[in-house]
Amino acid sequence: MARVEMFEFGVEQEQMMQVLMRHCQTMKRQETRLRLATAVLLATFMATLLWLHFHQQTTKGAFSGAHSEALKPEGPPIRHSLYLEAGKQFGACSEELPIKWNIINDGNDSPNFKLENQTVLHVFTKGLYLINLRISYRVVYNQCKPHSDPEFLTLEVSVSQKHSNYEKEREVISGKESMLCRDYWLQSITLNRVIMLEADTSLWVKLNKKSCKFLNWVKNSHLEVTYL
């Protein structure tokens, strides 16, 4: 009886060992598959990261190149200005003689502008220009005749242009106002306009004959032309 029990116990142990070995083999096969799957996932992840990095660098380089091209300046300097102040007007007032100017900034050295004989401004580049003009008037002592009734003066100022395409000069901008003729009276006219000018255009400013002697050349009379 004891031998039979021992034999049965031995058989059960052998069966248990076989089950345990099969289980270990199964676990090893699952572990190998898991490792392979993990390796495949890691390889896929690394490949995705490399592709994203390459794509980002390519896109960044293309954007930078386009941005650099957009920032490259073309043509003459943008918004280059010439600023002039009225100088002392010598000689008798005449509607045929334009105002004389003094250069305040270095815009006369620009390829866009050149002031000739202090009166005629030559514009060499075709484009849009902003013209700002301020003419200040001043009545000095005893410049007006005494009257019982107030005397009014007519102030007229204009900017004209001349070009080979035009048969005659053209008016760019003009202004007209009335001023009381009294000792030490101050008044001004301010004009501004954006206009397209052809290359090799000439500009000048003129006052009407009756008001030119009241031009305040000491201050506040200026002409500024800005290339846009």
Side-chain angles (χ1 to χ4, degrees):
M1 186 70 180
R3 290 180 179 177
V4 173
E5 291 180 355
M6 289 295 294
F7 176 77
E8 291 179 352
F9 180 73
V11 172
E12 290 178 357
Q13 283 187 334
E14 184 178 357
Q15 291 177 348
M16 289 178 63
M17 289 295 296
Q18 291 177 357
V19 170
L20 181 60
M21 290 178 64
R22 285 196 297 270
H23 178 71
C24 290
Q25 292 175 354
T26 301
M27 291 296 294
K28 286 183 179 180
R29 285 195 297 270
Q30 291 179 353
E31 183 178 358
T32 302
R33 292 172 183 172
L34 182 60
R35 289 179 178 177
L36 289 175
T38 303
V40 171
L41 287 176
L42 286 175
T44 304
F45 179 71
M46 292 300 295
T48 303
L49 286 180
L50 290 174
W51 181 85
L52 288 175
H53 179 72
F54 176 77
H55 181 71
Q56 183 180 12
Q57 293 296 324
T58 303
T59 305
K60 183 178 179 181
F63 176 78
S64 300
H67 187 64
S68 299
E69 289 293 330
L71 291 178
K72 287 184 179 179
E74 295 182 359
I78 303 301
R79 298 188 63 82
H80 190 90
S81 296
L82 177 67
Y83 188 85
L84 307 172
E85 285 188 355
K88 191 171 183 179
Q89 312 299 304
F90 296 99
C93 289
S94 172
E95 295 184 50
E96 288 75 30
L97 295 177
I99 294 179
K100 292 184 177 181
W101 302 98
N102 295 322
I103 300 173
I104 301 304
N105 69 355
D106 60 352
N108 194 48
D109 296 330
S110 165
N112 293 346
F113 308 109
K114 182 179 180 181
L115 182 64
E116 181 181 358
N117 296 329
Q118 290 188 269
T119 55
V120 181
L121 178 62
H122 296 287
V123 177
F124 297 112
T125 305
K126 179 180 179 179
L128 285 176
Y129 288 82
L130 172 62
I131 298 177
N132 284 309
L133 175 67
R134 179 182 174 88
I135 299 297
S136 177
Y137 299 88
R138 178 178 61 133
V139 181
V140 299
Y141 175 74
N142 206 27
Q143 200 171 14
C144 292
K145 297 179 180 180
H147 293 282
S148 56
D149 296 330
E151 180 184 3
F152 287 90
L153 300 170
T154 300
L155 309 176
E156 295 182 29
V157 58
S158 65
V159 180
S160 299
Q161 65 166 317
K162 186 177 181 180
H163 191 269
S164 58
N165 291 342
Y166 312 142
E167 294 182 359
K168 57 181 180 179
E169 68 180 59
R170 291 187 175 186
E171 191 175 84
V172 175
I173 190 172
S174 64
K176 183 177 180 179
E177 291 187 10
S178 295
M179 181 178 75
L180 182 64
C181 193
R182 285 286 189 268
D183 290 346
Y184 311 115
W185 191 269
L186 296 174
Q187 193 162 327
S188 63
I189 296 179
T190 301
L191 306 173
N192 56 76
R193 181 187 177 184
V194 175
I195 185 172
M196 172 66 74
L197 296 178
E198 298 291 336
D200 299 321
T201 295
S202 299
L203 300 174
W204 60 88
V205 182
K206 292 193 298 186
L207 307 179
N208 61 317
K209 186 174 181 179
K210 292 183 178 179
S211 68
C212 66
K213 67 178 181 179
F214 299 103
L215 173 65
N216 185 7
W217 58 272
V218 178
K219 61 178 180 178
N220 296 331
S221 294
H222 62 260
L223 172 65
E224 184 177 18
V225 182
T226 303
Y227 174 69
L228 302 176

